[in-house]
Structures are given as C-alpha cells and as structure tokens.
Amino acid sequence: MFLPSRATALLRLAAAAGLLYLSGWPSRLLAQDTTRSAAQVAHPRTPRPTEDLVRDARVLADRGDTVTALDLLERATDQSPRDTEALYWRGLLLMQKVSRNFSDAPERFIAARLLNRAADIDGNNPRYQLALARLLLRSPLQRVQAERLFKRALGIASASGDTASIIEANRELGEVKRRRYLTGRDRRMYTGPNIFDPLQALVLPNYTREFLEQLSIPVQDAGNTDRYEAEEYYRQALRFSADDLRSLTALLDLLYDQKRYDEMLALVRSTLQLHPTGAVAASYRAYMAAGLAAFRLNRLAEADNHFTLAIARMLPAERAEFLDLGRIVRKGDSVRVAGLPPDERARTDSAYWEAADPLLATPENEARLEFLSRMAYADLHYTDEDTKQAGWRTDRALILARYGEPPVIATFSPQVNIDARDALGRVMTVWYYPRAKLDFVFTGPPAFNYAYFAGNYREHAQAQREVNPFALENLALATRTDSIPVQVTRFAGTRSDSMEVVIAGDVPVARLYADAPVDVGMLSLQLRSGPPGMLRMTSQTGAQVTVPAGAPLVAPKDAAAPLLKDAELPPH
C-alpha cells in the first residue's frame, strides 16, 4: 500500500537535513562551541606556538590518541583562527569520525566548517579541496558537489605540479566513477508497480526467478561510460606513481570485471618489476589479485604460487581469519574447530582440503584454490580503504566463500515508498544461483561499495549453511571427473597386527572415452592411502583401452581388476 503523504513527509525531512547541512547547524551547537571557548578563556593554559600544537597533535593522532590530539588542535584554531594547517588537521581528524549517515552530524558540520575555512583562506592548496570533497562524499546528498571539488583539486594540483595531490585526486575521481558503475552495472527496472519483496522471496520457492524473468528488465549498458572514465583516472594516477596500491587494486578490480585476466597479471608483474620493495610488493593484495587472475586462466601452479606469496604477507591474526574454515562448515563444526589447539587445527584444515580435493592426481588442490579465489575476489571487489572495511569480512564475502560468484545479479534503485522496507532510500541487490535454486538479498546506500543482508536473509544464510556449507558447482576442472563404483574387501593379514585389502573398481570406460577422438588410450588408476592430511599413492596400475573405429566402446576385462591386491596395510 502506498502512503503519499508519509512519503512526502519523509522526502521533506531528508531535504531539510540536506539544507541544514549546507547552511549550518542549530545555534545550540554554536553556543556549545562558544561556551567551550569561554571556558578556555576563563582558565587559560600556557600559550604555545600554533605550529607546535599542530605538530604534537599529529604525533598523538598517529599513536591513536585522537581525543588529546583534537584538544590540542582546538586550542590551535582558537588562538590562530586563520592558520590553515591547524584548521585542516582538526577538520581531518573530525572527518575520521564521520560515517555514512547523519548520526554524527555535529562532527560532520564542524569538520566541514573548518575545511571550508581553510580552502577559502588558501584556495591554491589542493589538499584542503580534497579533504572537503572526501567529507562531502560520505553524505548521500553531496556526492555531485564532492566530484566537482575533486576536479577542482586536480586542476590546482596539475597547475602547481603537486604530484601527491594529482595522484590522490585522480584516484578519488576514479573511485567516484567506479562506485557509480558498480551500482548501475547490474541494474534492472521494474516493469510494473510491484517491487521486489525479500520477505516473499524467502517463503515462495520460485519468487526470485519469476520476478526477475517477468516483472523486471535489465538496463542495457548501464554505467559503461563511468567504467571507462574510472579506468582512465586510475591509469593516470599510476602514471605518476606505479606503486600506488589503492589505484592499482581498484584498476585490477575493473579489469577482472571485464574478464581481462592477462592484463591483470601483466599489470602486477610490471609493477613489481618497477618497485620490487615498494608498497605493492609489501602488501598481499596485488598478489591475491594475481592469483585470482591466474586461476581464472586455469594456470593452477601460477595461481597457487601467487596465493602463497599473498598469504605470507598477511599479519598472523589476519592470515588465520582469512583462512578460517569456520565460514564454510556447519556451525557446530565451526565451533569445534575453533576450540582446537593450533597444531591440531592445522592438521584438521589440511585433512579438510585433502578430502575436498576433486582431483588427487593433480599436484594442485582445485577446491582450495577455488576457495582462495573467492576470498581474493571479495578482497578486491568489496574492500573500502576509507572505512577500513576488509572486503573478505563482509556479508557478501560470506556467501561468496560458500557458493562462489552468483551467476545472476540484479540491483534495484532506492524507493521512496515508506512500505518498501529494505529498499527505502537504499539499493537492493539480489544474488541468484539458478542451479542450486538459492537466492540472497543485500541492501545498502547508493553509490557506496557497502551492503549487508536484507530482512531475514542473515538467518536464511545460516539455515542454508547447515544444509550446504560449501559448494563447488562453479568449479571448472581442466580434467573431467566421473564416479567409479568400488568394492572394498578386507582379509586377515599374514601377521596378527596387519590386514589385506582388495579394492575393485568398475571403471566407466564408455563414459570416460565418449568424447575422446582416439582409437587407443591408456587408462591409469591410482590408490592413495594414509591418515587424514597425509594421503600417499600406494599403488598404480594401467590398462590399454582399444576403440575400433565405428565400434561401440567396450571396457577391457582387466579394467575392472583389483586396483590393490595382496597388499598388507598396518592398522590406522
């Protein structure tokens, strides 16, 4: 049901909040600020040079003591209200406390006033324009103005030859364009009055599929111009500094989105050659992206090497969290694994991946590489440096780790109807896995790389976790796999502490060679045994398979012969 009057009231409230932010804050906030200044006058502190206060405040801020740093900077701006560095650093520290909503409006207002004053006093300093633009970017009502300020800062920096500000301005403009592209990339339009309802999607089995097919249509080529401009801005930043990690990883994300995997690898390789000891080489992120690209190209050994180098560059606690199996096992198993001693937990991890490996005959573990590629994609795609958000810690990363990249993604524009619930003022994103008939819905602010489970989808994800905690349906193997019926027979061994085991397999030769353009082939069978995490090949046998031209495939008699015969194994 639509309620126009309530929706109108809501829009007026949002507009009023925006005007309030633009024009100033209520007089009571200014009165509080004046009261603080009066108290300082009544109890004067020992005068100190403003530049000393600013220097000490920066040192304290670097150590994490923001409260004391802000106190020193407040003293600096009180005694030198036109000192642009004091204004800038105080505004910058206050800006760190500003989030994406209006709950921190006092800090937002004061930071904007300070940075505005610094920019007005010294209009030729691009740092002040950049800081103010980054602050405005955190407000849904100010993104267009923020983009203008970034462009102004770029012009000032280019005219003055300020390389650091040129890099930052290009990077920030790239971020503006990239976020806009990602928001519109999978955009769909409603074809009628009905909007996607997460609650209905949870209770009706075919709701998501039918809604996407019948009640919405994709917006063609949405955001392509923004993607092109974002790539150019990032490349411009990298021309001035190839070692700029944030520009590099953002560009790698755009290249991955376009399936330009070879370009990703070439970009990482050239950067590491130019700066073998720089910021990119010290961070795990570029190596992780290179591993992702190599895996998608089915270069498994190369991918494994890149992932190994990336993991080695993580901090110990970060590495443990990144590799934690808890996110891809059932909740009870997760709790039990978390309670194990470190050495036993490492053995459990090794045994898990060995059991999950779909091709023991290959040197690489395709299942583990797929898991790492999913985590690498989450890191590349959802990390937000401004908010210190690690992409692999997000809600979307949780689903990625379990089920892979969704084959179908649909995003819907924010709604103004008060009854829209999760879509009110927020972008709704639907992930659909047709083969598994799974769907997950996320919601988040527009033009921000941030989203969380909508409605009851967190509980839905937990329920699905108990049924299917880790799926590899999207894993494309270089070698085709098939099931082989086996029969295991145990006999008494020649010694009292041993046994003999015969394993017979019925190899489906007809299926295995159905698409093979050969007349004669070799069938190789391997048996691996041992404790979990330490499986070793103990027997290998081969048989020649002859396929006469035009004749049906017939398995040779010895193809079903025992794989391991008369072997003595110690008990485990």
Side-chain angles (χ1 to χ4, degrees), residues 238 242-244 248 266-276 280-281:
L238 291 171
D243 199 40
D244 184 52
L248 177 71
L267 182 59
V268 173
R269 191 180 303 115
S270 64
T271 302
L272 293 174
Q273 288 173 349
L274 286 171
H275 302 277
V280 172

Side-chain angles (χ1 to χ4, degrees), residues 29 39 86 116 179 215 221 224 230 252 316 357 391 410-411 436 563:
L29 178 62
N116 256 316
R179 288 170 180 170
L215 300 177
D221 302 324
N224 278 350
L252 289 171
D357 190 356
T411 62
L563 179 61

Side-chain angles (χ1 to χ4, degrees), residues 34-48:
T34 304
T35 302
R36 288 197 298 270
S37 297
Q40 292 166 356
V41 172
H43 300 87
R45 285 171 276 194
T46 304
R48 294 180 58 197

Side-chain angles (χ1 to χ4, degrees), residues 536-548:
R536 297 293 181 267
M537 187 174 68
T538 57
S539 177
Q540 181 171 354
T541 185
Q544 181 173 292
V545 179
T546 303
V547 187

Side-chain angles (χ1 to χ4, degrees), residues 311-323:
I311 292 168
R313 282 161 172 76
M314 289 180 163
L315 297 173
E318 188 178 44
R319 184 186 309 125
E321 183 181 356
F322 186 88
L323 299 175

Side-chain angles (χ1 to χ4, degrees), residues 130-170:
L130 288 169
L132 182 59
R134 286 200 304 272
L135 175 64
L136 296 182
L137 198 61
R138 301 185 186 188
S139 169
L141 305 175
Q142 300 295 308
R143 288 191 298 272
V144 175
Q145 177 63 12
E147 185 177 351
R148 292 196 190 103
L149 286 176
F150 283 133
K151 290 181 178 179
R152 184 186 304 171
L154 180 58
I156 296 171
S158 299
S160 62
D162 185 344
T163 302
S165 294
I166 291 173
I167 295 170
E168 186 175 351
N170 275 294

